[in-house]
Amino acid sequence: MTALNDLVRPDRYPRSSRYDPAWLVGLDMGPNPLWLLEDLARDLDLRPGMKVLDLGSGKGATSVFLAREYGVEVVAADWWIAAEEAAAVFAAAGVADRVTAVRTEAHVLPFEPESFDAVVSIDAFEYFGTADGYLPYLARFLRPGGQLGVATPGMTREVRDIGFVPAHVKRVVGWEAIAWHTPEWWRFQWEITELVDVTSARLQEDAWRDWLLWARVCAEVQPDGLKANQPVIDMLTEDGGEYLSFALVTARKK
Ligand SMILES: C[S@@+](CC[C@H](N)C(=O)[O-])C[C@H]1O[C@@H](n2cnc3c(N)ncnc32)[C@H](O)[C@@H]1O
């Protein structure tokens, strides 16, 4: 219980701190998605009644948060997690009337053009969103003026500029780190399409510390947690914020 209490940090994440940390860790697929979303949402304008696509929603913690905190209607779309599994999370959280789970791959989204007021993606875009054609593909599902918000593992420098994946990162994530870009990379990648205006692109302050805290708590409280999390703990400890962070990027469709 003590370790879980470390995840309650009302000074920094007041909204997330109202959620049961045991519930959150039980849905773990990566570093605290509510902290990432709460921070990202500071750069978005989410209003009650909006229709929001939570893309790569995993087991659904962020979709519950979106529905409860911002009063939006959510489509929770994910590829690895069955819709029934996510739907059970939404029912148990009492938001089944406002959150719909859809199993889909991010390149074949089963939605009509311009169906969303916002698309939010937490710790998922790195898996499917870095190709040149992806932003133009995704933008067609936003209404004009609709918002896009992405929180994705990011680096303080482009791997391309460093010339190699730093050894402590490569040991844990291998080549996947080439999808971990700087906020400036995302800004250029999106703005050059002239389809959106980028409204903010920043590294999350002390993201590596948040990520480390999350990994430490998961190591302590999850069955077999140490085995799964120790490599990440070692990577982040060695890094100390030199390279690793999260990029928080928001944009509005023209
Ligand atoms: C690290 S998990 C994060 C899940 C959740 N957003 C969270 O923060 O807990 C990454 C998610 O991206 C989703 N994902 C990965 N590749 C995808 C793809 N090609 N299409 C749709 N979703 C994808 C996975 O299904 C997975 O749930």
Side-chain angles (χ1 to χ4, degrees):
M1 194 60 204
T2 321
L4 282 168
N5 283 340
D6 291 345
L7 299 181
V8 181
R9 300 168 66 200
D11 50 329
R12 195 166 154 103
Y13 301 109
R15 289 175 183 259
S16 306
S17 291
R18 296 200 292 264
Y19 288 71
D20 176 6
W23 173 79
L24 197 52
V25 164
L27 301 176
D28 166 47
M29 294 182 76
N32 196 326
L34 297 194
W35 291 349
L36 290 167
L37 174 55
E38 183 169 352
D39 200 351
L40 179 72
R42 290 170 181 142
D43 297 334
L44 292 168
D45 182 16
L46 297 175
R47 307 219 174 153
M50 281 183 167
K51 193 162 174 202
V52 178
L53 173 63
D54 186 355
L55 185 56
S57 48
K59 295 179 183 168
T62 49
S63 302
V64 172
F65 189 88
L66 283 165
R68 278 199 195 151
E69 300 299 320
Y70 306 102
V72 297
E73 231 183 89
V74 186
V75 174
D78 198 72
W79 183 230
W80 302 341
I81 302 297
E84 299 71 37
E85 184 178 344
V89 172
F90 304 143
V95 295
D97 56 333
R98 282 167 289 154
V99 185
T100 310
V102 175
R103 189 168 202 171
T104 180
E105 203 284 321
H107 294 84
V108 288
L109 298 174
F111 310 118
E112 292 297 316
E114 302 188 0
S115 10
F116 295 100
D117 298 299
V119 176
V120 165
S121 183
I122 303 299
D123 191 13
F125 222 67
E126 63 276 16
Y127 295 107
F128 53 76
T130 58
D132 295 344
Y134 196 71
L135 184 276
Y137 169 74
L138 187 59
R140 68 167 99 136
F141 298 101
L142 278 174
R143 66 159 175 81
Q147 302 167 78
L148 173 62
V150 167
T152 183
M155 303 265 286
T156 56
R157 293 174 59 200
E158 282 296 313
V159 168
R160 184 173 290 269
D161 295 336
I162 301 167
F164 53 87
V165 177
H168 61 288
V169 180
K170 189 165 151 187
R171 263 199 308 276
V172 181
V173 292
W175 62 264
E176 288 188 25
I178 60 176
W180 294 6
H181 290 290
T182 60
E184 294 70 31
W185 185 92
W186 285 107
R187 179 185 284 283
F188 185 85
Q189 182 78 3
W190 289 3
E191 276 191 337
I192 197 72
T193 66
E194 298 184 2
L195 296 171
V196 297
D197 291 314
V198 173
T199 44
S200 68
R202 60 185 169 97
L203 286 177
Q204 192 189 33
E205 199 187 324
D206 278 342
W208 73 277
R209 284 187 208 277
D210 285 356
W211 189 351
L212 181 58
L213 174 57
W214 177 262
R216 284 198 173 125
V217 173
C218 288
E220 203 170 317
V221 305
Q222 287 176 338
D224 227 8
L226 193 60
K227 190 163 162 238
N229 288 282
Q230 192 61 53
V232 176
I233 292 171
D234 292 343
M235 173 179 79
L236 291 166
T237 306
E238 184 168 343
D239 189 79
E242 185 180 0
Y243 295 114
L244 296 177
S245 185
F246 263 79
L248 306 183
V249 190
T250 58
R252 237 180 222 284
K253 183 170 168 178
K254 290 187 193 245

